[in-house]
Amino acid sequence: MIPYEEIRVPVAGGETAALRWPARDPGAAPVIVALHGITANALSWAAVARHLDGRATLIAPDLRGRAASAGLPGPYGIAAHADDTAALAAWLGLDGVVLAGHSMGAFVAALAAVRHPERFGELVLVDGGFGFPAPTHLSADELMTAVIGPAMDRLSMTFTDREAYRSFWRAHPAFGGDAWSAEVDAYIQRDLTGEEPAMRSSCLLEAVRTDGVGLFQDEVLKAVHELPHPAVLLWAERGLMNEEQGLYDESRLAAAGQPGTGVRAVRVDGVNHYTVLTGDKGAGEVARSLLEAAR
């Protein structure tokens, strides 16, 4: 895994942690800000940073309520993350920066671009950003379980040690075969907190609930249709559990109104919702799209 540095950035209520993978020539290279998914953390972008190969500086925050930003207080929600992202860009002195987001992070990126158009330029959305109205018969927790599956369950689980957490994730269908790597291992270990024999995910359940329900708010659903700058959506062929049906396909994107937007949709074959970001093929596609957007 290539080296990175951790920085602390002032936001409402305290400081957020962010990881920075510097470019070989930081003065001349573009800067990209990248946002992780609902129960993820900044190290989910490590494979993309490797594929950027020093051609850009990549900055990825731990969103409020996760990993090294778990101590930040609420309010949580997609709008709070969007405003935190704008605060990060302002603190770094960035205008018109390329903004990327995976899964929930794609929704945050779209809303940040709409709320703070001067701060962000082109967007790269990775298997997220286009949503659908929430089923009205589900409770908030049932809705979250339907959306993110076992990832929701693990937030209430404890693990005897880091090897137990590693085993939990290695049994996940999305990380079978050659999908596991040192980068994936470092990413999932960044999530773990506490002491043996009762370690747990750093993700705050309140934050995940609030953010998950927020994905169905009108302002969030509309954001991708109101983007002030061009965008590309890289959507994974397969789903969260490596099932054949991914979050998106042509018919789902048509139902979500993608053809009437300025968002270009590109299918990434042979990857699932996780490996479109963490796997070698997916990370390479993401990196290429980021460099194209930065140009």
Side-chain angles (χ1 to χ4, degrees), residues 2-294:
I2 65 172
Y4 60 86
E5 59 181 336
E6 185 167 325
I7 60 176
R8 308 292 300 191
V9 178
V11 294
E15 291 182 331
T16 191
L19 304 185
R20 175 162 55 194
W21 289 267
R24 284 191 297 270
D25 184 0
V31 178
I32 296 162
V33 174
L35 309 175
H36 62 72
I38 192 166
T39 65
N41 62 70
L43 264 186
S44 62
W45 290 89
V48 173
R50 172 169 52 84
H51 277 275
L52 287 173
D53 192 28
R55 292 170 288 178
T57 292
L58 181 66
I59 299 172
D62 287 328
L63 296 179
R64 187 178 293 256
R66 284 86 171 166
S69 298
L72 269 175
Y76 307 107
I78 308 303
H81 297 313
D83 292 345
D84 286 348
T85 305
L88 169 69
W91 187 79
L92 293 167
L94 301 173
D95 291 312
V97 67
V98 172
L99 183 58
H102 172 242
S103 194
M104 182 196 77
F107 291 86
V108 175
L111 187 59
V114 170
R115 289 170 71 109
H116 307 277
E118 74 287 353
R119 288 289 170 204
F120 305 109
E122 293 199 24
L123 270 67
V124 176
L125 309 176
V126 184
D127 221 32
F130 284 91
F132 303 90
T136 57
H137 65 285
L138 297 180
S139 69
D141 279 356
E142 288 172 335
L143 183 60
M144 288 303 90
T145 299
V147 171
I148 62 175
M152 185 69 179
D153 296 337
R154 90 171 193 279
L155 302 188
S156 300
M157 297 171 63
T158 58
F159 301 86
T160 55
D161 54 25
R162 291 189 174 276
E163 184 57 38
Y165 199 49
R166 180 178 292 115
S167 297
F168 171 85
W169 274 107
R170 293 208 69 163
H172 194 294
F175 291 107
D178 61 359
W180 194 262
S181 66
E183 290 161 337
V184 170
D185 190 70
Y187 148 55
I188 67 104
Q189 293 296 338
R190 183 175 176 82
D191 177 50
L192 202 58
T193 189
E195 301 292 336
E196 299 178 6
M199 305 187 82
R200 58 177 177 78
S201 170
S202 64
C203 297
L204 300 184
L205 191 55
E206 179 188 355
V208 172
R209 281 193 181 116
T210 303
D211 296 346
V213 173
L215 291 172
F216 300 95
Q217 293 174 340
D218 285 345
E219 181 188 23
V220 176
L221 291 173
K222 290 177 180 176
V224 75
H225 301 276
E226 300 173 347
L227 295 176
H229 306 292
V232 61
L233 165 67
L234 303 177
W235 58 275
E237 177 187 16
R238 303 178 72 86
L240 278 82
M241 302 297 288
N242 202 38
E243 68 272 33
E244 289 188 9
Q245 176 64 62
L247 293 183
Y248 300 115
D249 57 25
E250 288 84 355
S251 62
R252 289 185 177 187
L253 287 170
Q258 175 268 328
T261 69
V263 181
R264 181 170 59 92
V266 177
R267 168 174 155 162
V268 184
D269 292 329
V271 300
N272 59 52
H273 179 72
Y274 291 96
T275 59
V276 71
L277 186 68
T278 64
D280 210 49
K281 178 179 182 179
E285 293 288 344
V286 173
R288 279 189 285 275
S289 292
L290 291 172
L291 291 171
E292 182 179 333

